[in-house]
Amino acid sequence: MTFTLSDPTWYPIASSEDLPFRHVYQGQLLGRELAVWRADDGNVNVWENRCLHRGVRLSIGINEGAELKCQYHGWRYANRSAGCTYIPAHPADAPARRIQNRTYPVREAYGLIWSAANDEQPFRPFPGAEDKDWLPLRPMPVNAEPEDVLAALARLDQYADILPGLSIRSGNVIWFVQPVDAGRAVIRGLLADQPAEPLAELRRYNELLTGLRDRLERAATRKPAPAPLQPIFEKVSADLATMPEIAIPRGNTMTVVVKRKWQSADGVIGFELAARQGHLPTFQPGAHIDVHLPNGMTRQYSITNGPGDLMSYVIGVKAESAGKGGSKVLVETVREGDLLAISEPRNNFPLRRDATRTVLIAGGIGITPLLSMARFLDKSSLPYELHYFVRSGEQAAFRDQLEALHGKVIIHQGLPRDEIAATIATSLGEWSMAQHVYVCGPSAMLESVRATAAAQGWPDEAIHFEYFKNDKVIDNSSSFEIELARSAMTLHVPAGKTILEIMREAGLTVPSSCEQGACGTCLTTVIEGEIDHQDVYLNNSEKASNACMMTCVSRAKSARLVLDI
Amino acid sequence: MTITLYDFELSGNCYKLRLLMSILKLRYDIVPVDFFPGRQHKADWFLKLNPFGQLPVLRDGDLTLSDSGAILAYLAKQYDETGLWFPDDPAITAQVLRWHAVGDDITSTASAARLALGFDYDFNIEKAQKSAHRIFRIMDEHLWFGEREGRDWLCSPAHPTTADIACFPYVMLSEEGGISRQDYPALRRWTDRVRRIPGFVVMSGIFPAGRALEQA
Ligand code: FES
């Protein structure tokens, strides 16, 4: 038998005890190097041992408990999905959400970690596996061909049974040969039932295997070494790694189950949305999902989860808004066990991870994206302060989650308006290099933070907002021409219609989400013409640059706009 | 009294002293010695300090000391008030010195392979790599059974000693000499533990480990 890269057999690749928390184990199976690590939730990840960035080994990376960080370039990959959550050199620190490391199937059973080169076969226990309590012996790496190792093990006991998958049963021991490469193997033994003196037994078997290894390696030097298997490392395509900053097209929807619905605080309903199978996609701190509601509406909600927390997304919905719009349906009619369609997570509110000081300011339901950011900063031991303003009579939502944080978390309850402003001013302080503030809350609060920060020397780039909605009245009385440079089309936009609507009528597919100038999904580059911005998404300097706009609300002050579409 | 270290940034032996002095929170001055490519450790002025022509050299007041293992012992006995880094117990002293010697063996194998590959030294690379693997196999076995017996470090006390520092750098730098540590999982786990010692410092090629999981 010669080994192939595509052999679908499940082999043991490590012992459970090889994977203490916050360690990355370096393994290999059929020529492929593996980075194997246990996350703090107990899940074991078996990944190709290469960071997608420059091919650096992930086995020298840092296991942060929920994400694995590449030691050299800082790329981070999430537990379970292996989705990249951070690319330091990216303009928005934001990865294209589909970049993910290659993963291999994994199973932890009988004190061993099992994996296979592909998903073709389901994992099956070895014969007699279930009714015993197995003790793994010390593994013994051998520089010899896997079949030779198997043959030598078989010679140890003439009554041994050869089992499928390079394994042998000999008395109360089962031997597995892990094919590391064409010329290398690891012997992994399982002893049935705990011996009276485990340590002495472990030493005895270790001695036996050491002798066997030395004999095998001496024999191996007498014959030509087989050529190592040559796995291929796939590179990330350039367009994925350099995906545009904001205008990410809408991904497909997926179905989630409402696993839990509860009252998180006065006026805030929590929803836990779980995948029907496995885990959900990787997201970044500050990201949101579009929830498709039973009445046909779409609403955006921030994910409150911490890093690598992919078994379900937790969102918060303000009950007060139940009077109108989409949230009413969620609060009133959606029950536990119901199914909902949601979009892939998208991030319009990227968190910089290179700040020396991060100030998070939340008002009311605005806590949701900031909770996710705080959890990330907390896990990464980065300095942050979270100020959460709630009105009198209202309680703080997600209180347990906030209390679990180690950073500076201050809940300001029932402050009068002028005191809120003063508190914001003192918590911000004077700006200095590499400080950033993130704000999410009612528009009055956002404006107050914006003004206070500017007065205290904070530049626009250091102030980050997330608007949930655009409260401004949109003036759509103008009419003008748009020229679509890439599509070679000229269209007329009459009063009362948006650019987005006109483009769609002309048969173009253009992404949008909130359609009120708040989310940034429809961001478009403007090549020529004077823009009448009416959105709340862009900041003042971005607006002044006259280089981009939201096609859902913005219009032209000039007779013509040339768009990069 | 001022401590002065004659140091080459990329030398694992010099790093051992920087590491222990950082752990013991000692202040010291550095005199850089251009080991490569300048070969200043063979210059006359340096040979007066250390006729063996080897880095590191440490001066503490009027004392001039050489040999990283000897200096580790000196620093621990002189400045470590806890007495943990070089314990007084005779049996443990013997263990520590045993591993200091292993540290030297790792230098003459793993580090020699690194010097040959990265610094153009004329050593027999294959022989150096083979010998390093032989030592790593022994260490991995020692550490694996140590974990079963509740011992996290090279010597028997429940805390690290200078033995762990003496063996650590050239184990960590072994890949630069073409010596993979894939076959030594227990050795790899031990390097994580060393990198979590409070006061740990980095050098080029030796990174910190992530934070340990805090037990709630
Ligand atoms: S669709 Fe949200 S800003 Fe235009």
Side-chain angles (χ1 to χ4, degrees), chain A residues 512-515 517-522 550 552:
Chain A
S512 76
S513 182
C514 70
E515 306 205 354
C519 73
T521 309
C522 65
M550 303 299 148
C552 64

Side-chain angles (χ1 to χ4, degrees), chain A residues 138 213, chain B residues 98-112 127-143 154 166-168 170-171 174 179-181 183-184 187 190:
Chain A
R138 175 165 183 257
R213 175 195 69 193
Chain B
R98 204 308 131 247
W99 287 102
H100 276 200
V102 174
D104 290 337
D105 292 343
I106 301 172
T107 305
S108 60
T109 56
S111 166
K127 189 167 159 244
Q129 290 174 337
K130 265 199 165 152
S131 311
H133 279 298
R134 201 170 309 132
I135 300 172
F136 287 2
R137 276 184 170 174
I138 296 171
M139 284 180 86
D140 189 76
E141 184 176 330
H142 176 72
L143 288 162
L154 290 172
C167 294
F168 172 71
Y170 288 119
V171 168
S174 72
I179 302 152
S180 161
R181 292 189 298 279
D183 285 345
Y184 316 110
L187 187 67
W190 167 77

